[in-house]
């Protein structure tokens, strides 16, 4: 089995050498836990080894991402000019079809080896908003939704089923492109769940949980490899160290 190395110090050792090729991995955590930095580092490290990276965001403007990366010495604008990296901002659209179209066009047009989508929480929110276009007053047990650019009437209790289907469609679309991707998921600080939608952690091939533990004035950030299909893993909880060049995982109190 081929593996895609993150080249993040200490992380590949936790999954027997790297992420199984063509996997889709959820990176979950609260604010300030390092999700974006870990994902950018995954792309940058791959680019250094000859891969092409695609970063898709629904939230932040490109300049904000550039500024965040610059703190670690990563010049994203230069890499984009060299056509080694593409940072693509997809704004909220009227239909899910337009969102899928934006993702597919970015992937097909750039043909990346590594993909990051930040964040799945925002995608799910867009999907949820697009679904609940109008509550039918005459039929209180149903609602009108947009799905695949068509208006459908569905029972209210199907809401969670539809959201699960939408996220499954997105994950399968990525897998069909034969790309190894990381999807971020925003959760409340110190939450015991891994996504707001409640399903993506089950649908993705792998799950990396990030947490921030604050004791007094000190804040410790930890990483746990919760699951990864097709490989053995070390599911312990490890400290993350932020350096000038990115994140390092402290494995057995020593950075590998």
């Amino acid at each position: 089995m081929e593996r895609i190395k993150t080249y993040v110090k200490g992380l590949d050792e936790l999954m027997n050498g790297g992420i199984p090729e063509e996997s889709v991995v959820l990176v979950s955590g609260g604010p300030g836990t390092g999700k974006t930095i870990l994902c950018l580092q995954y792309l940058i490290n791959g680019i250094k080894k000859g891969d092409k990276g695609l970063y898709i965001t629904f939230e932040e403007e490109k300049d904000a991402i550039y500024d965040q990366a610059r703190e670690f010495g990563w010049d994203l604008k230069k890499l984009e000019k060299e056509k080694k990296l593409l940072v693509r901002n997809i704004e909220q659209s009227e239909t899910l079809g337009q969102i899928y179209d934006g993702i597919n066009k970015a992937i097909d047009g750039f043909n990346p080896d590594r993909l990051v989508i930040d964040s799945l929480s925002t995608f799910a929110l867009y999907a949820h908003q697009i679904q609940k276009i109008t509550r039918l007053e005459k039929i209180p047990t149903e609602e009108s939704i947009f799905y695949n650019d068509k208006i459908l009437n569905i029972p209210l209790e199907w809401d969670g089923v539809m959201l699960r289907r939408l996220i499954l469609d997105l994950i399968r679309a990525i897998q069909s492109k034969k790309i190894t991707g990381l999807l971020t998921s925003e959760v409340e600080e110190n939450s015991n769940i891994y996504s707001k939608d409640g399903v993506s952690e089950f649908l993705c091939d792998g799950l990396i949980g990030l947490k921030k533990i604050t004791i007094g004035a000190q804040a410790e950030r930890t990483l746990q490899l919760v699951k990864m299909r097709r490989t053995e893993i070390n599911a312990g909880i490890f400290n993350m160290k932020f350096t000038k060049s990115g994140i390092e995982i402290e494995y057995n109190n020593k950075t590998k």
Side-chain angles (χ1 to χ4, degrees):
M1 177 177 55
E2 294 293 329
R3 295 179 183 271
I4 303 300
K5 292 184 177 295
T6 66
Y7 300 105
V8 174
K9 289 187 177 180
L11 180 55
D12 292 329
E13 289 86 341
L14 300 182
M15 44 191 162
N16 203 22
I19 301 171
E21 192 176 32
E22 301 177 13
S23 294
V24 176
V25 179
L26 188 69
V27 180
S28 169
T33 53
K35 298 184 299 298
T36 298
I37 299 305
L38 182 67
C39 289
L40 284 173
Q41 192 171 348
Y42 163 73
L43 293 183
I44 296 297
N45 289 348
I47 289 170
K48 290 177 180 177
K49 300 295 182 179
D51 287 347
K52 293 173 65 179
L54 171 60
Y55 186 96
I56 294 176
T57 176
F58 300 113
E59 299 175 352
E60 294 190 77
E61 296 296 328
K62 290 178 71 168
D63 286 343
I65 298 169
Y66 290 156
D67 291 342
Q68 194 169 5
R70 198 173 294 116
E71 295 179 12
F72 296 90
W74 305 328
D75 191 342
L76 302 189
K77 191 175 292 187
K78 178 176 180 290
L79 293 174
E80 282 201 284
K81 288 180 179 179
E82 295 172 349
K83 301 189 183 304
K84 298 176 181 177
L85 171 72
L86 175 63
V87 179
R88 175 79 165 85
N89 179 272
I90 298 179
E91 298 181 357
Q92 183 172 358
S93 303
E94 294 182 359
T95 69
L96 277 175
Q98 290 176 318
I99 295 177
Y100 280 117
D101 188 52
I103 294 172
N104 286 326
K105 282 184 176 178
I107 293 174
D108 293 340
F110 192 65
N111 193 27
D113 303 290
R114 298 178 181 225
L115 169 70
V116 168
I117 295 182
D118 186 12
S119 76
L120 196 59
S121 300
T122 307
F123 173 83
L125 177 62
Y126 286 0
H128 200 68
Q129 289 175 341
I130 291 166
Q131 287 183 59
K132 292 180 178 292
I133 301 298
T134 255
R135 188 64 59 88
L136 300 181
E137 295 181 0
K138 294 182 179 179
I139 311 176
T141 59
E142 294 184 348
E143 62 182 338
S144 179
I145 68 163
F146 275 128
Y147 182 64
N148 287 343
D149 296 335
K150 295 181 180 179
I151 297 177
L152 303 175
N153 292 336
I154 65 168
L156 294 180
E157 62 267 23
W158 284 17
D159 182 50
V161 177
M162 291 298 292
L163 181 57
R164 182 185 180 97
R165 179 69 198 195
L166 295 170
I167 293 173
L168 178 60
D169 285 348
L170 176 63
I171 292 171
R172 283 181 173 172
I174 296 169
Q175 291 169 332
S176 72
K177 305 290 185 181
K178 300 188 182 301
I179 302 169
T180 305
L182 304 185
L183 314 181
T184 70
S185 177
E186 187 82 21
V187 295
E188 299 297 328
E189 188 172 356
N190 297 322
S191 173
N192 291 322
I193 63 174
Y194 295 104
S195 71
K196 291 180 179 179
D197 56 74
V199 298
S200 52
E201 59 264 44
F202 301 103
L203 299 176
C204 287
D205 300 301
L207 172 58
I208 298 174
L210 307 182
K211 286 196 174 184
K212 181 170 66 173
I213 303 171
T214 304
I215 303 176
Q218 300 296 320
E220 296 288 338
R221 293 173 176 83
T222 65
L223 177 147
Q224 182 180 24
L225 188 59
V226 180
K227 76 168 188 178
M228 188 70 67
R229 292 174 183 146
R230 297 183 289 146
T231 188
E232 294 181 1
I233 63 170
N234 185 328
I237 298 175
F238 301 93
N239 287 332
M240 293 197 304
K241 179 181 177 182
F242 285 74
T243 72
K244 292 182 179 179
S245 57
I247 291 172
E248 298 178 1
I249 310 303
E250 296 182 340
Y251 184 62
N252 288 340
N253 297 322
K254 293 182 180 180
T255 301
K256 295 289 184 180

PDB file of all heavy atoms in Angstrom, residues 173-205:
ATOM      1  N   ALA A 173     -16.889  12.296  -3.849  1.00  0.00           N
ATOM      2  CA  ALA A 173     -16.386  13.052  -4.999  1.00  0.00           C
ATOM      3  C   ALA A 173     -14.878  13.227  -4.902  1.00  0.00           C
ATOM      4  O   ALA A 173     -14.147  13.096  -5.897  1.00  0.00           O
ATOM      5  CB  ALA A 173     -17.076  14.416  -5.079  1.00  0.00           C
ATOM      6  N   ILE A 174     -14.385  13.498  -3.678  1.00  0.00           N
ATOM      7  CA  ILE A 174     -12.935  13.646  -3.474  1.00  0.00           C
ATOM      8  C   ILE A 174     -12.241  12.310  -3.703  1.00  0.00           C
ATOM      9  O   ILE A 174     -11.206  12.239  -4.372  1.00  0.00           O
ATOM     10  CB  ILE A 174     -12.655  14.175  -2.050  1.00  0.00           C
ATOM     11  CG1 ILE A 174     -13.241  15.578  -1.885  1.00  0.00           C
ATOM     12  CG2 ILE A 174     -11.142  14.190  -1.774  1.00  0.00           C
ATOM     13  CD1 ILE A 174     -13.242  16.068  -0.463  1.00  0.00           C
ATOM     14  N   GLN A 175     -12.804  11.246  -3.138  1.00  0.00           N
ATOM     15  CA  GLN A 175     -12.197   9.926  -3.294  1.00  0.00           C
ATOM     16  C   GLN A 175     -12.141   9.506  -4.760  1.00  0.00           C
ATOM     17  O   GLN A 175     -11.192   8.846  -5.188  1.00  0.00           O
ATOM     18  CB  GLN A 175     -12.975   8.899  -2.463  1.00  0.00           C
ATOM     19  CG  GLN A 175     -12.810   9.087  -0.965  1.00  0.00           C
ATOM     20  CD  GLN A 175     -13.785   8.240  -0.152  1.00  0.00           C
ATOM     21  OE1 GLN A 175     -14.872   7.916  -0.612  1.00  0.00           O
ATOM     22  NE2 GLN A 175     -13.394   7.889   1.062  1.00  0.00           N
ATOM     23  N   SER A 176     -13.160   9.887  -5.543  1.00  0.00           N
ATOM     24  CA  SER A 176     -13.176   9.513  -6.957  1.00  0.00           C
ATOM     25  C   SER A 176     -12.067  10.198  -7.744  1.00  0.00           C
ATOM     26  O   SER A 176     -11.682   9.736  -8.816  1.00  0.00           O
ATOM     27  CB  SER A 176     -14.533   9.871  -7.575  1.00  0.00           C
ATOM     28  OG  SER A 176     -14.691  11.266  -7.723  1.00  0.00           O
ATOM     29  N   LYS A 177     -11.553  11.306  -7.208  1.00  0.00           N
ATOM     30  CA  LYS A 177     -10.458  12.031  -7.877  1.00  0.00           C
ATOM     31  C   LYS A 177      -9.100  11.412  -7.554  1.00  0.00           C
ATOM     32  O   LYS A 177      -8.076  11.839  -8.092  1.00  0.00           O
ATOM     33  CB  LYS A 177     -10.455  13.495  -7.434  1.00  0.00           C
ATOM     34  CG  LYS A 177     -11.765  14.230  -7.635  1.00  0.00           C
ATOM     35  CD  LYS A 177     -12.072  14.487  -9.079  1.00  0.00           C
ATOM     36  CE  LYS A 177     -13.337  15.326  -9.222  1.00  0.00           C
ATOM     37  NZ  LYS A 177     -13.684  15.581 -10.632  1.00  0.00           N
ATOM     38  N   LYS A 178      -9.096  10.419  -6.658  1.00  0.00           N
ATOM     39  CA  LYS A 178      -7.869   9.717  -6.263  1.00  0.00           C
ATOM     40  C   LYS A 178      -6.833  10.693  -5.688  1.00  0.00           C
ATOM     41  O   LYS A 178      -5.657  10.671  -6.040  1.00  0.00           O
ATOM     42  CB  LYS A 178      -7.289   8.933  -7.446  1.00  0.00           C
ATOM     43  CG  LYS A 178      -8.245   7.881  -7.999  1.00  0.00           C
ATOM     44  CD  LYS A 178      -7.590   6.987  -9.023  1.00  0.00           C
ATOM     45  CE  LYS A 178      -8.579   5.973  -9.586  1.00  0.00           C
ATOM     46  NZ  LYS A 178      -9.157   5.096  -8.553  1.00  0.00           N
ATOM     47  N   ILE A 179      -7.333  11.545  -4.792  1.00  0.00           N
ATOM     48  CA  ILE A 179      -6.483  12.522  -4.110  1.00  0.00           C
ATOM     49  C   ILE A 179      -6.492  12.206  -2.616  1.00  0.00           C
ATOM     50  O   ILE A 179      -7.503  11.757  -2.078  1.00  0.00           O
ATOM     51  CB  ILE A 179      -7.033  13.950  -4.324  1.00  0.00           C
ATOM     52  CG1 ILE A 179      -7.106  14.284  -5.815  1.00  0.00           C
ATOM     53  CG2 ILE A 179      -6.174  14.990  -3.616  1.00  0.00           C
ATOM     54  CD1 ILE A 179      -7.871  15.545  -6.096  1.00  0.00           C
ATOM     55  N   THR A 180      -5.381  12.451  -1.953  1.00  0.00           N
ATOM     56  CA  THR A 180      -5.320  12.313  -0.499  1.00  0.00           C
ATOM     57  C   THR A 180      -5.632  13.678   0.108  1.00  0.00           C
ATOM     58  O   THR A 180      -4.908  14.645  -0.119  1.00  0.00           O
ATOM     59  CB  THR A 180      -3.947  11.824  -0.038  1.00  0.00           C
ATOM     60  OG1 THR A 180      -3.638  10.602  -0.719  1.00  0.00           O
ATOM     61  CG2 THR A 180      -3.932  11.590   1.464  1.00  0.00           C
ATOM     62  N   GLY A 181      -6.747  13.756   0.849  1.00  0.00           N
ATOM     63  CA  GLY A 181      -7.221  15.059   1.307  1.00  0.00           C
ATOM     64  C   GLY A 181      -7.443  15.152   2.797  1.00  0.00           C
ATOM     65  O   GLY A 181      -7.756  14.159   3.462  1.00  0.00           O
ATOM     66  N   LEU A 182      -7.301  16.366   3.313  1.00  0.00           N
ATOM     67  CA  LEU A 182      -7.621  16.687   4.698  1.00  0.00           C
ATOM     68  C   LEU A 182      -8.799  17.652   4.703  1.00  0.00           C
ATOM     69  O   LEU A 182      -8.800  18.651   3.979  1.00  0.00           O
ATOM     70  CB  LEU A 182      -6.434  17.335   5.417  1.00  0.00           C
ATOM     71  CG  LEU A 182      -5.101  16.587   5.458  1.00  0.00           C
ATOM     72  CD1 LEU A 182      -4.097  17.355   6.316  1.00  0.00           C
ATOM     73  CD2 LEU A 182      -5.268  15.171   5.985  1.00  0.00           C
ATOM     74  N   LEU A 183      -9.815  17.357   5.511  1.00  0.00           N
ATOM     75  CA  LEU A 183     -10.968  18.228   5.691  1.00  0.00           C
ATOM     76  C   LEU A 183     -10.988  18.694   7.140  1.00  0.00           C
ATOM     77  O   LEU A 183     -10.897  17.869   8.042  1.00  0.00           O
ATOM     78  CB  LEU A 183     -12.274  17.492   5.381  1.00  0.00           C
ATOM     79  CG  LEU A 183     -12.354  16.642   4.115  1.00  0.00           C
ATOM     80  CD1 LEU A 183     -13.734  16.021   4.000  1.00  0.00           C
ATOM     81  CD2 LEU A 183     -12.049  17.478   2.889  1.00  0.00           C
ATOM     82  N   THR A 184     -11.101  19.995   7.380  1.00  0.00           N
ATOM     83  CA  THR A 184     -11.146  20.459   8.764  1.00  0.00           C
ATOM     84  C   THR A 184     -12.581  20.523   9.256  1.00  0.00           C
ATOM     85  O   THR A 184     -13.519  20.675   8.477  1.00  0.00           O
ATOM     86  CB  THR A 184     -10.490  21.844   8.939  1.00  0.00           C
ATOM     87  OG1 THR A 184     -11.304  22.839   8.321  1.00  0.00           O
ATOM     88  CG2 THR A 184      -9.098  21.858   8.325  1.00  0.00           C
ATOM     89  N   SER A 185     -12.733  20.400  10.573  1.00  0.00           N
ATOM     90  CA  SER A 185     -14.050  20.468  11.201  1.00  0.00           C
ATOM     91  C   SER A 185     -13.932  21.276  12.479  1.00  0.00           C
ATOM     92  O   SER A 185     -13.105  20.970  13.346  1.00  0.00           O
ATOM     93  CB  SER A 185     -14.572  19.067  11.513  1.00  0.00           C
ATOM     94  OG  SER A 185     -15.816  19.128  12.176  1.00  0.00           O
ATOM     95  N   GLU A 186     -14.739  22.320  12.581  1.00  0.00           N
ATOM     96  CA  GLU A 186     -14.725  23.200  13.755  1.00  0.00           C
ATOM     97  C   GLU A 186     -15.706  22.687  14.800  1.00  0.00           C
ATOM     98  O   GLU A 186     -16.872  22.412  14.490  1.00  0.00           O
ATOM     99  CB  GLU A 186     -15.115  24.621  13.348  1.00  0.00           C
ATOM    100  CG  GLU A 186     -14.967  25.648  14.441  1.00  0.00           C
ATOM    101  CD  GLU A 186     -13.547  26.154  14.582  1.00  0.00           C
ATOM    102  OE1 GLU A 186     -12.771  26.023  13.622  1.00  0.00           O
ATOM    103  OE2 GLU A 186     -13.220  26.687  15.654  1.00  0.00           O
ATOM    104  N   VAL A 187     -15.234  22.526  16.048  1.00  0.00           N
ATOM    105  CA  VAL A 187     -16.098  22.119  17.148  1.00  0.00           C
ATOM    106  C   VAL A 187     -15.874  23.062  18.325  1.00  0.00           C
ATOM    107  O   VAL A 187     -14.923  23.851  18.332  1.00  0.00           O
ATOM    108  CB  VAL A 187     -15.835  20.654  17.578  1.00  0.00           C
ATOM    109  CG1 VAL A 187     -16.199  19.684  16.463  1.00  0.00           C
ATOM    110  CG2 VAL A 187     -14.378  20.454  18.002  1.00  0.00           C
ATOM    111  N   GLU A 188     -16.741  22.977  19.306  1.00  0.00           N
ATOM    112  CA  GLU A 188     -16.589  23.806  20.496  1.00  0.00           C
ATOM    113  C   GLU A 188     -15.335  23.380  21.268  1.00  0.00           C
ATOM    114  O   GLU A 188     -14.913  22.225  21.230  1.00  0.00           O
ATOM    115  CB  GLU A 188     -17.815  23.672  21.401  1.00  0.00           C
ATOM    116  CG  GLU A 188     -19.128  24.111  20.768  1.00  0.00           C
ATOM    117  CD  GLU A 188     -19.139  25.581  20.408  1.00  0.00           C
ATOM    118  OE1 GLU A 188     -18.480  26.361  21.127  1.00  0.00           O
ATOM    119  OE2 GLU A 188     -19.804  25.960  19.428  1.00  0.00           O
ATOM    120  N   GLU A 189     -14.744  24.335  21.964  1.00  0.00           N
ATOM    121  CA  GLU A 189     -13.532  24.048  22.737  1.00  0.00           C
ATOM    122  C   GLU A 189     -13.805  22.959  23.770  1.00  0.00           C
ATOM    123  O   GLU A 189     -14.817  22.984  24.476  1.00  0.00           O
ATOM    124  CB  GLU A 189     -13.048  25.329  23.436  1.00  0.00           C
ATOM    125  CG  GLU A 189     -11.699  25.184  24.103  1.00  0.00           C
ATOM    126  CD  GLU A 189     -11.168  26.511  24.610  1.00  0.00           C
ATOM    127  OE1 GLU A 189     -11.822  27.551  24.370  1.00  0.00           O
ATOM    128  OE2 GLU A 189     -10.111  26.504  25.252  1.00  0.00           O
ATOM    129  N   ASN A 190     -12.889  21.977  23.841  1.00  0.00           N
ATOM    130  CA  ASN A 190     -12.978  20.853  24.773  1.00  0.00           C
ATOM    131  C   ASN A 190     -14.227  19.994  24.556  1.00  0.00           C
ATOM    132  O   ASN A 190     -14.707  19.322  25.472  1.00  0.00           O
ATOM    133  CB  ASN A 190     -12.932  21.334  26.225  1.00  0.00           C
ATOM    134  CG  ASN A 190     -11.621  22.018  26.560  1.00  0.00           C
ATOM    135  OD1 ASN A 190     -10.555  21.592  26.103  1.00  0.00           O
ATOM    136  ND2 ASN A 190     -11.682  23.087  27.336  1.00  0.00           N
ATOM    137  N   SER A 191     -14.741  20.015  23.335  1.00  0.00           N
ATOM    138  CA  SER A 191     -15.909  19.188  23.020  1.00  0.00           C
ATOM    139  C   SER A 191     -15.510  17.720  22.904  1.00  0.00           C
ATOM    140  O   SER A 191     -14.377  17.388  22.545  1.00  0.00           O
ATOM    141  CB  SER A 191     -16.523  19.663  21.699  1.00  0.00           C
ATOM    142  OG  SER A 191     -17.544  18.791  21.282  1.00  0.00           O
ATOM    143  N   ASN A 192     -16.452  16.845  23.209  1.00  0.00           N
ATOM    144  CA  ASN A 192     -16.211  15.414  23.077  1.00  0.00           C
ATOM    145  C   ASN A 192     -16.713  14.860  21.743  1.00  0.00           C
ATOM    146  O   ASN A 192     -16.693  13.651  21.522  1.00  0.00           O
ATOM    147  CB  ASN A 192     -16.879  14.656  24.235  1.00  0.00           C
ATOM    148  CG  ASN A 192     -16.206  14.917  25.566  1.00  0.00           C
ATOM    149  OD1 ASN A 192     -14.979  15.019  25.633  1.00  0.00           O
ATOM    150  ND2 ASN A 192     -16.994  15.042  26.618  1.00  0.00           N
ATOM    151  N   ILE A 193     -17.194  15.741  20.870  1.00  0.00           N
ATOM    152  CA  ILE A 193     -17.599  15.325  19.533  1.00  0.00           C
ATOM    153  C   ILE A 193     -16.569  15.831  18.531  1.00  0.00           C
ATOM    154  O   ILE A 193     -15.729  16.669  18.855  1.00  0.00           O
ATOM    155  CB  ILE A 193     -19.007  15.845  19.166  1.00  0.00           C
ATOM    156  CG1 ILE A 193     -19.016  17.378  19.145  1.00  0.00           C
ATOM    157  CG2 ILE A 193     -20.042  15.300  20.140  1.00  0.00           C
ATOM    158  CD1 ILE A 193     -20.324  17.965  18.654  1.00  0.00           C
ATOM    159  N   TYR A 194     -16.636  15.325  17.315  1.00  0.00           N
ATOM    160  CA  TYR A 194     -15.611  15.663  16.329  1.00  0.00           C
ATOM    161  C   TYR A 194     -16.144  16.470  15.147  1.00  0.00           C
ATOM    162  O   TYR A 194     -15.363  16.895  14.299  1.00  0.00           O
ATOM    163  CB  TYR A 194     -14.953  14.379  15.813  1.00  0.00           C
ATOM    164  CG  TYR A 194     -14.184  13.649  16.884  1.00  0.00           C
ATOM    165  CD1 TYR A 194     -14.700  12.491  17.476  1.00  0.00           C
ATOM    166  CD2 TYR A 194     -12.953  14.115  17.326  1.00  0.00           C
ATOM    167  CE1 TYR A 194     -13.997  11.822  18.467  1.00  0.00           C
ATOM    168  CE2 TYR A 194     -12.242  13.460  18.323  1.00  0.00           C
ATOM    169  CZ  TYR A 194     -12.771  12.316  18.886  1.00  0.00           C
ATOM    170  OH  TYR A 194     -12.080  11.653  19.881  1.00  0.00           O
ATOM    171  N   SER A 195     -17.466  16.688  15.094  1.00  0.00           N
ATOM    172  CA  SER A 195     -18.022  17.517  14.028  1.00  0.00           C
ATOM    173  C   SER A 195     -19.374  18.041  14.467  1.00  0.00           C
ATOM    174  O   SER A 195     -20.057  17.424  15.286  1.00  0.00           O
ATOM    175  CB  SER A 195     -18.163  16.724  12.728  1.00  0.00           C
ATOM    176  OG  SER A 195     -19.197  15.764  12.840  1.00  0.00           O
ATOM    177  N   LYS A 196     -19.769  19.172  13.895  1.00  0.00           N
ATOM    178  CA  LYS A 196     -21.086  19.725  14.187  1.00  0.00           C
ATOM    179  C   LYS A 196     -22.189  18.954  13.478  1.00  0.00           C
ATOM    180  O   LYS A 196     -23.337  18.942  13.915  1.00  0.00           O
ATOM    181  CB  LYS A 196     -21.129  21.203  13.795  1.00  0.00           C
ATOM    182  CG  LYS A 196     -20.258  22.090  14.680  1.00  0.00           C
ATOM    183  CD  LYS A 196     -20.332  23.544  14.267  1.00  0.00           C
ATOM    184  CE  LYS A 196     -19.474  24.400  15.177  1.00  0.00           C
ATOM    185  NZ  LYS A 196     -19.492  25.834  14.790  1.00  0.00           N
ATOM    186  N   ASP A 197     -21.822  18.316  12.351  1.00  0.00           N
ATOM    187  CA  ASP A 197     -22.829  17.569  11.604  1.00  0.00           C
ATOM    188  C   ASP A 197     -23.063  16.176  12.177  1.00  0.00           C
ATOM    189  O   ASP A 197     -24.081  15.549  11.914  1.00  0.00           O
ATOM    190  CB  ASP A 197     -22.439  17.456  10.130  1.00  0.00           C
ATOM    191  CG  ASP A 197     -21.071  16.823   9.937  1.00  0.00           C
ATOM    192  OD1 ASP A 197     -20.961  15.596  10.117  1.00  0.00           O
ATOM    193  OD2 ASP A 197     -20.118  17.537   9.584  1.00  0.00           O
ATOM    194  N   GLY A 198     -22.103  15.662  12.966  1.00  0.00           N
ATOM    195  CA  GLY A 198     -22.288  14.390  13.638  1.00  0.00           C
ATOM    196  C   GLY A 198     -22.098  13.157  12.778  1.00  0.00           C
ATOM    197  O   GLY A 198     -22.276  12.032  13.255  1.00  0.00           O
ATOM    198  N   VAL A 199     -21.709  13.339  11.504  1.00  0.00           N
ATOM    199  CA  VAL A 199     -21.576  12.187  10.624  1.00  0.00           C
ATOM    200  C   VAL A 199     -20.226  12.109   9.918  1.00  0.00           C
ATOM    201  O   VAL A 199     -19.779  11.025   9.556  1.00  0.00           O
ATOM    202  CB  VAL A 199     -22.698  12.155   9.551  1.00  0.00           C
ATOM    203  CG1 VAL A 199     -24.059  12.028  10.194  1.00  0.00           C
ATOM    204  CG2 VAL A 199     -22.642  13.392   8.671  1.00  0.00           C
ATOM    205  N   SER A 200     -19.560  13.246   9.713  1.00  0.00           N
ATOM    206  CA  SER A 200     -18.343  13.243   8.896  1.00  0.00           C
ATOM    207  C   SER A 200     -17.224  12.422   9.520  1.00  0.00           C
ATOM    208  O   SER A 200     -16.412  11.827   8.804  1.00  0.00           O
ATOM    209  CB  SER A 200     -17.860  14.671   8.619  1.00  0.00           C
ATOM    210  OG  SER A 200     -17.746  15.411   9.813  1.00  0.00           O
ATOM    211  N   GLU A 201     -17.178  12.341  10.856  1.00  0.00           N
ATOM    212  CA  GLU A 201     -16.140  11.529  11.492  1.00  0.00           C
ATOM    213  C   GLU A 201     -16.312  10.044  11.188  1.00  0.00           C
ATOM    214  O   GLU A 201     -15.346   9.277  11.229  1.00  0.00           O
ATOM    215  CB  GLU A 201     -16.101  11.758  13.005  1.00  0.00           C
ATOM    216  CG  GLU A 201     -17.390  11.456  13.732  1.00  0.00           C
ATOM    217  CD  GLU A 201     -18.236  12.689  13.943  1.00  0.00           C
ATOM    218  OE1 GLU A 201     -18.374  13.481  12.995  1.00  0.00           O
ATOM    219  OE2 GLU A 201     -18.769  12.857  15.060  1.00  0.00           O
ATOM    220  N   PHE A 202     -17.525   9.617  10.868  1.00  0.00           N
ATOM    221  CA  PHE A 202     -17.783   8.224  10.501  1.00  0.00           C
ATOM    222  C   PHE A 202     -17.561   7.988   9.009  1.00  0.00           C
ATOM    223  O   PHE A 202     -17.152   6.900   8.596  1.00  0.00           O
ATOM    224  CB  PHE A 202     -19.213   7.833  10.880  1.00  0.00           C
ATOM    225  CG  PHE A 202     -19.513   7.982  12.343  1.00  0.00           C
ATOM    226  CD1 PHE A 202     -20.256   9.055  12.799  1.00  0.00           C
ATOM    227  CD2 PHE A 202     -19.037   7.071  13.264  1.00  0.00           C
ATOM    228  CE1 PHE A 202     -20.537   9.209  14.153  1.00  0.00           C
ATOM    229  CE2 PHE A 202     -19.309   7.202  14.622  1.00  0.00           C
ATOM    230  CZ  PHE A 202     -20.053   8.285  15.068  1.00  0.00           C
ATOM    231  N   LEU A 203     -17.807   9.005   8.194  1.00  0.00           N
ATOM    232  CA  LEU A 203     -17.703   8.854   6.755  1.00  0.00           C
ATOM    233  C   LEU A 203     -16.271   8.975   6.243  1.00  0.00           C
ATOM    234  O   LEU A 203     -15.914   8.360   5.238  1.00  0.00           O
ATOM    235  CB  LEU A 203     -18.581   9.896   6.052  1.00  0.00           C
ATOM    236  CG  LEU A 203     -20.089   9.820   6.365  1.00  0.00           C
ATOM    237  CD1 LEU A 203     -20.822  10.955   5.675  1.00  0.00           C
ATOM    238  CD2 LEU A 203     -20.654   8.479   5.943  1.00  0.00           C
ATOM    239  N   CYS A 204     -15.451   9.765   6.921  1.00  0.00           N
ATOM    240  CA  CYS A 204     -14.061   9.940   6.484  1.00  0.00           C
ATOM    241  C   CYS A 204     -13.227   8.707   6.809  1.00  0.00           C
ATOM    242  O   CYS A 204     -13.529   7.953   7.741  1.00  0.00           O
ATOM    243  CB  CYS A 204     -13.435  11.167   7.154  1.00  0.00           C
ATOM    244  SG  CYS A 204     -14.032  12.735   6.501  1.00  0.00           S
ATOM    245  N   ASP A 205     -12.148   8.509   6.047  1.00  0.00           N
ATOM    246  CA  ASP A 205     -11.275   7.346   6.250  1.00  0.00           C
ATOM    247  C   ASP A 205     -10.452   7.476   7.526  1.00  0.00           C
ATOM    248  O   ASP A 205     -10.124   6.480   8.164  1.00  0.00           O
ATOM    249  CB  ASP A 205     -10.320   7.191   5.062  1.00  0.00           C
ATOM    250  CG  ASP A 205     -11.061   6.988   3.755  1.00  0.00           C
ATOM    251  OD1 ASP A 205     -11.829   6.010   3.666  1.00  0.00           O
ATOM    252  OD2 ASP A 205     -10.879   7.791   2.828  1.00  0.00           O
TER     253      ASP A 205
END
